[in-house]
């Protein structure tokens, strides 16, 4: 009878499934049943990566270096006795490449605001692995809640300008699963919009009427005043 092995178990013993560039990870592959020697082969998307022989019941350890995006994806291992033509496959482990985020940009469609007005602020990082978590703040005070975006889109908050104290400097920060990668945005300030006085339209109207009177008087001089002087000579 051919010597058979049990389905091996693939375990991550060093590193994480969320990996960064140039990171080392180690995988362990072991079939608990089956007479040694056992040949273990590591596959990535059905392509052979490496193979090791074990003459005892110790796991085969595969160390990988994530040097490009092609190194991430689904991995499996295969165990087979050297004298058999069959083999058993393990569970799969999938590595995901995480990338640092870029500096977020804080913006608003309204550069000016006045008291009693609703305004919006948006924060967006163009690059970086999803999800990305954004947090807005004014000065050193956080503006809850923080927003976690699963898609490549801006986080938006709505503000109500209630008093002059709401015209301070706003910022936002962004982070993702990349370690030690919190980035802060530029500062954004709303400028106070000048409120027109109710008397301004009246003043403008009176000025226009006075201007028209002056023009009318100037036009009337040749017709009334000059003939009067000629008649008196």
């Amino acid at each position: 009878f051919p010597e058979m092995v049990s389905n091996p178990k693939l375990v991550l013993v060093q590193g994480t499934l969320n990996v960064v560039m140039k990171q080392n990870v180690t995988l362990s592959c072991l079939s608990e049943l089956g007479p040694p020697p056992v040949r273990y082969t590591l596959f990535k998307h059905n392509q052979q990566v490496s193979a090791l022989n074990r003459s005892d019941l110790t796991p085969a350890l595969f160390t990988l270096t994530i040097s490009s995006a092609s190194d991430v994806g689904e991995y499996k291992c295969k165990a087979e006795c050297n004298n058999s033509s069959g083999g058993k496959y393990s569970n799969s482990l999938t590595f995901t490449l995480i990338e640092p985020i870029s500096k977020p940009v804080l913006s608003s469609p309204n550069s000016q605001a006045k008291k009693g007005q609703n305004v919006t602020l948006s924060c967006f990082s163009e690059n970086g692995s999803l999800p990305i978590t954004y947090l807005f703040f004014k000065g050193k005070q956080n503006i809850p809640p923080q927003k976690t975006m699963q898609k490549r889109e801006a986080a938006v908050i709505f503000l109500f300008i209630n008093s002059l104290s709401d015209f301070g400097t706003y910022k936002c920060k962004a982070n993702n699963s990349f370690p030690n990668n919190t980035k802060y945005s530029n500062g954004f300030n709303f400028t106070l919009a000048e409120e027109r006085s109710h008397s301004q339209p009246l003043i403008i109207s009176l000025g226009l009427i006075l201007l028209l009177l002056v023009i009318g008087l100037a036009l009337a001089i040749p017709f009334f005043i000059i003939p009067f002087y000629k008649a008196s000579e």
Side-chain angles (χ1 to χ4, degrees):
F1 295 98
E3 296 174 329
M4 298 294 293
V5 294
S6 61
N7 289 89
K9 187 175 183 180
L10 187 63
V11 179
L12 181 67
V13 294
Q14 178 188 349
T16 59
L17 292 178
N18 290 328
V19 293
V20 299
M21 208 67 78
K22 298 182 180 180
Q23 179 179 338
N24 292 326
V25 295
T26 301
L27 300 173
S28 167
C29 185
L30 176 63
S31 177
E32 296 181 348
L33 297 177
V38 177
R39 180 176 178 82
Y40 293 98
T41 306
L42 183 68
F43 292 89
K44 176 185 174 294
H45 294 310
N46 299 322
Q47 292 185 345
Q48 180 175 330
V49 176
S50 182
L52 294 171
N53 291 320
R54 283 291 177 264
S55 58
D56 53 17
L57 294 176
T58 57
L61 298 178
F62 299 97
T63 298
L64 307 172
T65 300
I66 307 300
S67 57
S68 68
S70 62
D71 294 326
V72 299
E74 183 184 69
Y75 285 81
K76 287 185 179 182
C77 72
K78 179 183 179 182
E80 56 189 331
C81 291
N82 285 347
N83 297 326
S84 67
S85 58
K88 296 291 182 66
Y89 286 90
S90 72
N91 57 295
S92 64
L93 292 177
T94 301
F95 291 99
T96 302
L97 183 66
I98 56 175
E99 298 176 312
I101 55 176
S102 57
K103 179 180 178 179
V105 175
L106 184 65
S107 61
S108 173
N110 306 100
S111 60
Q112 294 186 333
K114 58 185 178 181
K115 289 188 291 182
Q117 181 179 345
N118 291 307
V119 295
T120 61
L121 279 173
S122 64
C123 185
F124 179 66
S125 287
E126 186 174 355
N127 299 312
S129 303
L130 298 171
I132 298 177
T133 299
Y134 297 94
L135 179 63
F136 296 82
F137 52 96
K138 175 181 171 292
K140 295 182 179 180
Q141 184 176 1
N142 294 342
I143 304 175
Q146 66 179 17
K147 295 179 177 288
T148 300
M149 311 305 293
Q150 304 291 338
K151 297 180 180 180
R152 186 74 61 187
E153 57 187 16
V156 179
I157 61 169
F158 299 90
L159 302 172
F160 179 71
I161 304 299
N162 189 43
S163 64
L164 292 178
S165 64
D166 296 323
F167 285 91
T169 300
Y170 291 86
K171 285 188 177 183
C172 69
K173 69 177 181 179
N175 59 67
N176 61 1
S177 55
F178 194 94
N180 303 318
N181 187 231
T182 298
K183 295 287 182 67
Y184 291 84
S185 74
N186 55 296
F188 185 91
N189 292 76
F190 293 102
T191 57
L192 180 62
E194 295 182 1
E195 298 186 10
R196 288 187 174 183
S197 172
H198 294 292
S199 61
Q200 279 185 339
L202 179 60
I203 294 174
I204 294 173
S205 299
L206 291 175
L208 289 174
I209 293 173
L210 181 61
L211 179 62
L212 291 174
L213 288 175
V214 171
I215 294 174
L217 182 60
L219 293 174
I221 288 176
F223 296 100
F224 295 98
I225 298 179
I226 295 176
F228 173 79
Y229 278 107
K230 287 183 176 180
S232 62
E233 288 179 354

